[in-house]
Structures are given as C-alpha cells and as structure tokens.
Amino acid sequence: LPAGGVSLRLCSTQVAQEGINKPVIDRIIRVDHAGEYGANRIYAGQMAVLGRSSVGPIIQQMWNQEKDHLKKFNELMVAYRVRPTVLLPFWNVAGFVLGAGSALLGKRGAMACTVAVEESISDHYNNQIRTLMEEDPEKYKELLQVIKQFRDDEREHHDIGLEHDAEATPAYSVLKTAIQLGCKAAIFLSERI
Amino acid sequence: VRCQHYPPLRALQASAVLRRVSDEHKKEPLTSSSQQHFDSHPADHQPEQEPQGPRPSYTGQGGQESEDYESEEQLQHRILTAALEFVPEHGWTAEAIAEGAKTLGLSVAAAGMFHSDGSELILHFVSECNTKLSELLEKEQKLVQLGEAEKKPIDEFLRDAVETRLRMLIPYIEKWPQALSVLLLPRNIPSSLSLLTSMIDDIWHYAGDQSTDFNWYTRRAVLTGIYNTTELVMMQDSSPDFEDTWRFLENRVADAMNMSNTASQVQSTGEAVVQGLMGAAVTVSNAETSRAMR
C-alpha cells in the first residue's frame, strides 16, 4: 500500500468516484429513489381506481413521468453504488394503498393527494439542491441538474392537481396535512434505513 | 469529559519509546512533533480519530502528512503488517506484534500500543485481505472489459471470488479459529461486521449485480451465509488442498442459484394462477348476466 496517508480504513471497498462526500450522496440517492418508487405506486393505485374515468389520461401521463424519474434513479443508484432503503416492500404497499384510497374519495380526492405529495417532494428536492450547492456545485453538477429537472416536473404535477379542483375536496386541509406528515416520516426513514 | 489530549499524549509516549531505540525512523525532533500533537485543530497533521483513547479508530481516515512525518496510524500499519509473519508461530497475540516491531528496528514496547488480544492485528489482516480481493476483482474486470478474458457466469464468479478470499487464510489456518472468536467479541463486532459487509458488497458489485430493490439485500444475505459457512467448514477440513471445502462451496452456490430460480418460477406460476382465476370469474359473471337477460 502506498505510504502517503493510507490509513487503517474500515471500509475496504474503492469509492466509485473519488472525492465525493459519500454519506451525503448516499442519503440523497437512497431517499430520492425511495420517493420516486413510492410516487410510482401512488399513481398505480390511482389508476387502478380512476383509470377509466375522465382524469385517467392525465394521471397516466404523470405516472409515465414518474416512471422515467425512477429509471434515472435506478441508474444513479448503480453508478454510485448506493444501497436501496430496506423499506421498499413497505413503500410498495403503502404507496398503492394511498393512491387507491385517495382515488376512492373521487377524482378530487386523487388530485388532492397528488397536490400534497408533489408539494412535499418539491420542498424536499429544494432542500437537497441547497445542500449540494453548499457542498460543491461544480463537483455535483450532473446530480444537481437531474434533481432540478425533477423538481420542476413535480411542481408541474402539483399545478395540474390544483387545476383539477384538488382544493374542492371535502376535508382538503386535513387530508393534505396528514399526507404531508406521512411524506416527512417516509423521507426521514428512507434516508436512514 | 473526554480529554482531547489523551490520544496524542499516549501516542507521544509510545512514539518516544520507539524513537529512543530506532535509528531508521529519525523524523522531526520530539519538541516540534509535540507541538503538532497539542494543536487544537491540527487538521492537516492529525489523522481524524474518535477520542476513544489510544486505540486506532477504524473509521478514521489518514490525514495529509508532511513528507518526513509518519502518522501514528501509518506506523501502526507497518508494525501490524510486519507482525503477520509471526502469527503462525505466536498466534494473534502481543508476542507476534512485538516480533514484528523488532524486525522494523523498533522496541518490543511497541506492542503496548495495541490490545493484548490481538484485535487490531486481526482486523488489519482482514482489511488487507479484502483490499487484495478488491484489487484482484478489479483487475479481472478490466481484462473482461478489454476483451482479453471471458465473462464468467455468476455461480462460477461467486465461487472463485469466495475461494480466492478464503485461500488467503491458508497460511494462518491453524490460528484462524482463535481470530474468529476475537472478531466476535462485542467490542469488535461493529468493525468486523462492517468489513464483512463491504467485502460481500464488493463481490456482488464485480459480479455485475445491479439490483435496486429488495433483491439487493437478499443476494448479500445469501452470499454472507455461503461465505461464513464455507469459512467454518474450512476450519475443520483436513483434505488435500481443502478440496472438500471447495466442493461444499460449489454445492452451496448451486443451492442459492436453484433457490432463486425456484423463487421466480413460483412467482410466474402464481401470476398465471391469478390470471386464470380472474378469467374464470369474468366468464361466470358473463354467463350469469346473459342468463338473467334471457
């Protein structure tokens, strides 16, 4: 081993990209992957109930974009050798149940769920953009670009939800608060486990 | 209250003892190195260590060093590497470390820098073996990418990787059971577990695993099981060149492949059954509807 400062490192693997802040990037990619996975399942649940209604095509379109997002994070996960969250099977079920449940409240219910979730995700992406900008905008240029693009997409979904009378849902604010609380918990857990 | 100066002080004493006897390692004079140790935030010269006493932290990274100054971690690294030669004779003990220190021209008191049960020596050895394995796998991957070698099927790859890694134990096989028991001490479990998981992750990475779902965990758990059981079999194996162990390994890997094939078969069968039932339900409801219409 070279004499220049190679220490008794616990981790015996080689980092794919030298010089990146591995713990921070790990968390970011893991939680974003979990988020896109969950979003996919939410739209799948909504389609299962409202697929044949008038909002079907719009939900399908938003779902397709989420599928692209998930694909991108799958690639990033392999490239940076990040471990996926162990809660994936749980988000699989929980996401579907949330989507189907909100859709059973009607078209507006589904749109309210979309608004709540997309707002949480946009805020979350904004936080990550801030973190990466503070770290080193040059080093993480590609990742920043991806997250910015996805944040804009999610914002668009949020606006579509509002356009389709999300706010007219009965108990809108209660529903929205509950869903956003759930999102915060999901983000906290997926970052860590 | 953690005394922040405790590690450097101990290092200073240890280093002082060593330097009194050694010739080769005349670095900067004692006073200036003590200056460096007692700086409040010697970001460049002090390797990042948790203030947990004189023991080296395995999660720390070596700091930048000025050209002639050798960090305590580097020194310990060299002593432990030299000590490995004496393990077959003395076991994973302070004696082996003392002998290793002697070959470097240091005082046998150097062994006092380490735990008496040889924990650091064993962890150092495991870490070195894992690094060697990663380098070999990296080299092999390069050859495949350049087209100079065939890409191995997964079961063969896993078998070869585990065999290569276990073969590194052969020179120390007599004393390895002792090492295993030390690695299982509660104090050492975080380190030894971390070394194990990163080694298994490495093997899967080079095997081409690109799973991003729960399979990530299943595969690593299975391979960890294969590795650990094969290691234990190797301890008891007295066949020529451990051929019983490699046969055991081959069978376990084959079992794992079978399990995953069976799992996917079960899943497709399950899906087919569900579709069949749904078809039957639709047919029956159509029949009922048309009968009701008549």
Side-chain angles (χ1 to χ4, degrees), chain A residues 1-14 30 33 37 73-75 77-78 81-89 193, chain B residues 57-63 73-74 77 124 127-128 130-131 134-135 138 191 194-195 198 201-202 205-206 210 212-214 216-217:
Chain A
L1 285 167
V6 174
S7 58
L8 294 155
R9 278 166 43 147
L10 183 60
C11 175
S12 59
T13 59
Q14 294 149 349
R30 176 161 51 250
H33 175 263
Y37 183 81
F73 275 115
N74 280 337
E75 288 165 15
M77 189 165 251
V78 173
R81 290 182 65 175
V82 175
R83 143 187 94 80
T85 167
V86 73
L87 295 169
L88 276 180
I193 49 182
Chain B
S57 161
Y58 282 86
T59 51
Q61 298 206 339
E73 271 190 81
Q74 284 175 306
H77 196 273
H124 169 81
S127 178
E128 293 289 298
N130 291 356
T131 309
S134 298
E135 285 168 5
E138 176 79 42
S191 313
S194 180
L195 283 168
S198 59
D201 180 50
D202 253 3
H205 168 74
Y206 287 107
Q210 299 202 329
T212 53
D213 54 5
F214 203 75
W216 192 96
Y217 290 92

Side-chain angles (χ1 to χ4, degrees), chain B residues 31-101:
Chain B
T31 42
S32 66
S33 56
S34 68
Q35 220 82 0
Q36 287 165 337
H37 281 299
F38 282 87
D39 274 348
S40 49
H41 281 294
D44 287 332
H45 298 288
Q46 182 90 348
E48 281 163 39
Q49 280 189 352
E50 313 258 62
Q52 47 178 282
R55 308 303 172 196
S57 161
Y58 282 86
T59 51
Q61 298 206 339
Q64 293 167 309
E65 309 299 336
S66 62
E67 297 216 358
D68 290 334
Y69 180 72
E70 185 186 41
S71 76
E72 182 186 342
E73 271 190 81
Q74 284 175 306
L75 179 63
Q76 287 175 344
H77 196 273
R78 284 198 306 130
I79 295 176
L80 292 178
T81 308
L84 287 177
E85 192 189 327
F86 301 95
V87 166
E89 191 188 333
H90 297 280
W92 305 92
T93 58
E95 279 91 60
I97 301 179
E99 293 293 326

